[in-house]
Amino acid sequence: MTVHMVSDPTTLASTVSGGRKSRDVIFLIGLWVAMLLCTATLLTLLVDTFVTGRSKLTWAFLSGHPDPFPEDAGIQSAILGSLWVVIPSGLGALFVAICTAIYLEEYTRTDSRIQKFINLNIQTLAGVPSVVFGILGLAFVARGPLSWGFTVGTAAMVLGMMILPVMIVAAREAIRAVPSSLREGSMALGATKWQTIRRQVVPAAVPGIATGSILGVSRALGESAPLIMLGALAYVTFNPSGFGDYYTVIPLMIFKYATEAQTEFQVSAAAAIIVLLVMMFALNFLAIVIRDRSRKAW
Amino acid sequence: MNSKGHTLRKSIVGKISVAALVASGLVAFAASPASAAKLNDSCKRKDLFEVENVSGTYLRCMVKPGSSLHAKKPKKAEFTWQKINKKQFDYGKNKTSSAIRMDGSSTVYPLMAVTAKYFDATTSGKATVSIGISGTGGGFEKFCKNETDISNASRAINATEAANCAKAGVTYTEIIVANDGLAVVVNPKNSLTCIKMTELKAMWAPGTGTSGPGKATQWSDAIPGNTTGALKLYGAGSDSGTFDSFNTFVHGRSTTSRTDYQATENDNVTVKGVAAELGAIGYYGLSYAEENAKLNKALQIDNGKGCVAPKISTVQDGTYAMARPLYIYVKKAAVAKSPVIREFVKFYLDNADIIAADALFVPLTKVQVNTARGAVNAI
């Protein structure tokens, strides 16, 4: 039956049931429409943003600070604030994620209780809305036990926690994808387990880990909900110089500019969106470069 | 600090750490306008409150005496370099800048942001001011947890909040910083001159609950016997402080409003719409109404005690119903710790007229300013 369909689908479709082929075509058209709809929406948004924000995309805007007057408004403190928050959170989460993934993939058995317990936790955490992390950070990091206040350190810590589950999943997938023959070969040549992991498994998993974690960092870069809880401010005319400083981030400035009563601020919001998109694009480009450079064929 | 006669403009380079510089790469700065200020020469709008040291004399860019930034002709204001004493801007004794942390009402935000901008210009960055917009309630929550130095509020602190502050040992001084006034405007050809608050309520009330489409579609639905005809409503978008203020005045709650009206964040849309349609009615800030008096007619408001015209004087004395004072709450312990906070508030009061005009608020009266000065000095 199946063989027949593949060898001569047209005759079969017309003889067996007249509606089959047309249904096939309808489905294909449906797929096309869905895809075009997505692309068109995205393109409309991008083009609209670019056209609106282009005029404001000047050096004065990039080097300016938040300002009550639209003509002087800029996003320097927000760009640096975003970097100050996202880079430490990304690096911190990456380190913890790789360690966790190595432990789970190399040191525990798939059916062990600890693995099941941790799996359940990671999967649950990965699905938690970001604002919940914001509330958690407000209660335990900004206030409460740690009491770091509404600072860069708090924001980096909470965003790190937020992207950790995604990074662990990515790192585990990458480590699992390393062929076991590689491990066995290394062991057979007399390497210890740790040497095998450090010199064979982790380097081989780098492309997958890099791709996954940079996606996580991109998410942190575009995040605003938890940071509103964590005191990202509307008016900050200075750049952070340490983890104890106050800060603002680009998504928050976009929100602030977009909801400002004077319409001239809409242009600033669009320009800030372009800056954010460029930063995200750069990150994704970096992911592709790392993946391609360290890819190995087995 | 400025022996070479360079501008006092805040250098933004100093604050960036090496790590951030390397990380960003794309952001580097130079803010040094090469200008030689001369006494009474004109200066630019963007340099307002900047100070320059010209061979030992301190000049500050100010609004020229006789001209005004005020609402009627804001673009007619002229700016000149004027002589000031060093003491007038040399706040703070050491070079490290103090932080002033503010949070609270988004209605008060523009006022404090303008103040921060000018304070920064005048003191060449003696204070790093940060302002959040958590809302009046959210601001007080942080304030009473000792997380901010100044709380911005569009209403006075309530009993619960005051109790929280007392429990945490936070003592503060309340200062009225500006007056918020709204004008209700109609087409100049509309015969109406005075509207009752209850009529406004009927016009803007949602059909049921606190939001949703309203019932009134004709002027006669809200004002019995009115013959203007179809009602066309123009109002502020729900993001704006104007929206919150208007609803508080009319319905008693900042979020209660009908939703089927022409909502805009741009007051100009309202001005044009109201000017074009006989049946249109809208609202916006009082200072804006004075600017557009020819296109839109501002109505008198009767809140049970007779018709009162919207004017700066009636807003300031509290007889006009759609007016309220805006507050800041200054933490006493914060002032004791860093005196620059007191200087910041004083700076605002010294220049309240210019700043209020810039942020489109009704300025304080002389009496209000003096009361506020007394409160600040007593901290």
Side-chain angles (χ1 to χ4, degrees):
Chain A
M1 175 73 188
T2 339
V3 178
H4 259 276
M5 268 187 76
V6 173
S7 63
D8 196 2
T10 26
T11 42
L12 245 183
S14 52
T15 50
V16 174
S17 120
R20 268 224 198 143
K21 195 193 171 188
S22 56
R23 259 186 257 162
D24 202 34
V25 171
I26 289 169
F27 183 64
L28 198 66
I29 291 172
L31 290 180
W32 271 97
V33 168
M35 196 190 72
L36 282 177
L37 214 64
C38 287
T39 321
T41 316
L42 186 67
L43 268 180
T44 315
L45 284 174
L46 282 179
V47 168
D48 182 56
T49 307
F50 187 76
V51 168
T52 317
R54 192 183 43 185
S55 62
K56 185 77 186 175
L57 216 56
T58 58
W59 186 243
F61 179 72
L62 293 175
S63 63
H65 284 295
D67 200 280
F69 307 117
E71 60 272 22
D72 295 338
I75 54 162
Q76 186 202 128
S77 56
I79 294 176
L80 287 170
S82 274
L83 291 172
W84 262 96
V85 168
V86 164
I87 292 173
S89 68
L91 292 179
L94 184 64
F95 179 74
V96 178
I98 293 178
C99 292
T100 313
I102 290 173
Y103 176 72
L104 289 176
E105 287 302 315
E106 302 289 327
Y107 288 92
T108 59
R109 297 223 322 260
T110 324
D111 53 352
S112 65
R113 266 196 194 162
I114 179 132
Q115 173 143 152
K116 278 182 186 160
F117 176 73
I118 294 179
N119 270 345
L120 181 71
N121 271 294
I122 291 173
Q123 274 155 20
T124 313
L125 282 178
V128 168
S130 58
V131 71
V132 175
F133 280 98
I135 296 168
L136 180 91
L138 181 68
F140 291 99
V141 187
R143 295 170 181 163
L146 287 177
S147 286
W148 288 0
F150 298 98
T151 56
V152 171
T154 304
M157 176 85 163
V158 175
L159 283 190
M161 293 196 290
M162 190 191 81
I163 59 178
L164 186 59
V166 181
M167 283 197 176
I168 293 176
V169 172
R172 286 186 69 178
E173 296 286 338
I175 288 174
R176 203 178 298 155
V178 176
S180 55
S181 55
L182 206 68
R183 293 186 186 84
E184 285 153 11
S186 173
M187 296 279 210
L189 288 171
T192 62
K193 187 163 191 176
W194 170 238
Q195 284 171 332
T196 303
I197 291 169
R198 196 163 64 99
R199 296 187 188 155
Q200 301 300 330
V201 178
V202 172
V206 161
I209 296 175
T211 316
S213 42
I214 287 179
L215 287 179
V217 171
S218 302
R219 186 184 160 201
L221 190 62
E223 199 59 70
S224 63
L227 295 180
I228 289 178
M229 305 293 303
L230 297 172
L233 295 156
Y235 183 87
V236 176
T237 54
F238 48 89
N239 300 314
S241 55
F243 288 116
D245 277 0
Y246 297 105
Y247 68 100
T248 188
V249 289
I250 303 177
L252 196 91
M253 286 322 297
I254 295 173
F255 168 74
K256 176 73 189 128
Y257 286 150
T259 57
E260 200 79 58
Q262 286 151 287
T263 40
E264 294 93 324
F265 274 114
Q266 313 295 327
V267 182
S268 299
I273 291 172
I274 296 173
V275 172
L276 187 64
L277 282 175
V278 168
M279 285 170 83
M280 289 201 168
F281 183 76
L283 270 178
N284 287 331
F285 187 70
L286 188 71
I288 293 170
V289 168
I290 292 175
R291 197 182 60 203
D292 287 353
R293 295 198 111 194
S294 50
R295 180 179 279 160
K296 281 182 188 170
W298 289 301
Chain B
M1 171 172 73
N2 253 277
S3 52
K4 286 174 189 165
H6 283 154
T7 170
L8 282 179
R9 181 188 272 268
K10 178 188 176 189
S11 160
I12 40 184
V13 184
K15 296 238 77 182
I16 314 161
S17 77
V18 177
L21 249 183
V22 171
S24 70
L26 52 115
V27 193
F29 327 91
S32 52
S35 64
K38 272 187 206 155
L39 188 63
N40 293 333
D41 264 13
S42 68
C43 53
K44 285 182 184 138
R45 173 78 174 80
K46 71 177 174 67
D47 290 329
L48 191 55
F49 283 101
E50 291 283 349
V51 175
E52 293 208 6
N53 179 351
V54 182
S55 47
T57 313
Y58 290 92
L59 298 177
R60 182 160 76 172
C61 180
M62 294 295 288
V63 177
K64 189 181 178 182
S67 80
S68 167
L69 254 181
H70 269 284
K72 278 185 181 163
K73 281 172 186 163
K75 276 150 205 140
K76 284 285 167 65
E78 289 174 62
F79 306 94
T80 54
W81 293 104
Q82 290 162 37
K83 201 172 164 182
I84 58 162
N85 297 322
K86 191 171 186 291
K87 272 184 187 169
Q88 268 179 284
F89 68 91
D90 197 11
Y91 300 124
K93 280 175 186 140
N94 45 33
K95 276 193 171 176
T96 53
S97 66
S98 321
I100 304 181
R101 302 168 299 171
M102 308 176 87
D103 206 330
S105 166
S106 59
T107 311
V108 186
Y109 167 85
L111 193 71
M112 288 298 115
V114 173
T115 313
K117 180 187 166 83
Y118 292 155
F119 188 70
D120 207 42
T122 273
T123 62
S124 59
K126 275 287 162 54
T128 49
V129 184
S130 55
I131 312 172
I133 39 167
S134 305
T136 301
F140 278 130
E141 194 195 320
K142 286 187 178 172
F143 186 66
C144 296
K145 280 196 158 82
N146 262 313
E147 290 165 351
T148 54
D149 304 316
I150 296 176
S151 206
N152 303 329
S154 58
R155 56 165 170 80
I157 192 166
N158 68 29
T160 324
E161 289 155 354
N164 284 341
C165 268
K167 218 192 313 179
V170 173
T171 52
Y172 51 81
T173 299
E174 176 189 286
I175 295 163
I176 292 178
V177 284
N179 300 296
D180 184 18
L182 288 185
V184 176
V185 291
V186 293
N187 190 285
K189 284 186 188 138
N190 194 320
S191 57
L192 197 70
T193 53
C194 178
I195 191 165
K196 289 196 182 97
M197 198 60 119
T198 48
E199 292 164 348
L200 273 177
K201 197 170 177 171
M203 236 176 231
W204 285 91
T208 51
T210 54
S211 118
K215 271 185 186 153
T217 56
Q218 300 290 317
W219 277 78
S220 52
D221 291 342
I223 308 170
N226 189 296
T227 55
T228 311
L231 186 61
K232 172 76 181 166
L233 297 161
Y234 284 88
S238 57
D239 284 325
S240 77
T242 312
F243 176 81
D244 294 349
S245 298
F246 182 78
N247 295 331
T248 309
F249 293 137
V250 175
H251 304 291
R253 265 194 60 191
S254 66
T255 51
T256 301
S257 171
R258 68 189 289 177
T259 49
D260 51 343
Y261 67 93
Q262 176 69 48
T264 172
E265 303 286 357
N266 185 350
D267 292 338
N268 252 322
V269 174
T270 305
V271 171
K272 284 181 189 147
V274 170
E277 289 173 74
L278 181 65
I281 184 165
Y283 61 85
Y284 42 67
L286 188 63
S287 47
Y288 212 64
E290 295 188 328
E291 266 181 67
N292 295 291
K294 277 183 188 159
L295 294 167
N296 293 177
K297 180 167 75 176
L299 293 177
Q300 298 174 13
I301 302 229
D302 179 1
N303 197 19
K305 288 176 190 163
C307 295
V308 181
K311 282 189 297 194
I312 286 180
S313 61
T314 55
V315 165
Q316 286 175 333
D317 67 19
T319 50
Y320 180 64
M322 290 220 176
R324 60 177 178 176
L326 299 174
Y327 306 84
I328 60 171
Y329 286 76
V330 183
K331 187 175 290 170
K332 287 184 177 172
V335 174
K337 202 174 142 208
S338 85
V340 74
I341 295 175
R342 189 203 305 269
E343 300 305 329
F344 177 82
V345 181
K346 274 180 154 175
F347 173 83
Y348 170 72
L349 294 171
D350 288 345
N351 303 288
D353 274 6
I354 297 171
I355 295 170
D358 247 359
L360 301 176
F361 286 104
V362 177
L364 297 170
T365 59
K366 284 221 169 71
V367 178
Q368 281 177 317
V369 170
N370 286 335
T371 313
R373 275 221 180 88
V376 174
N377 288 327
I379 298 173

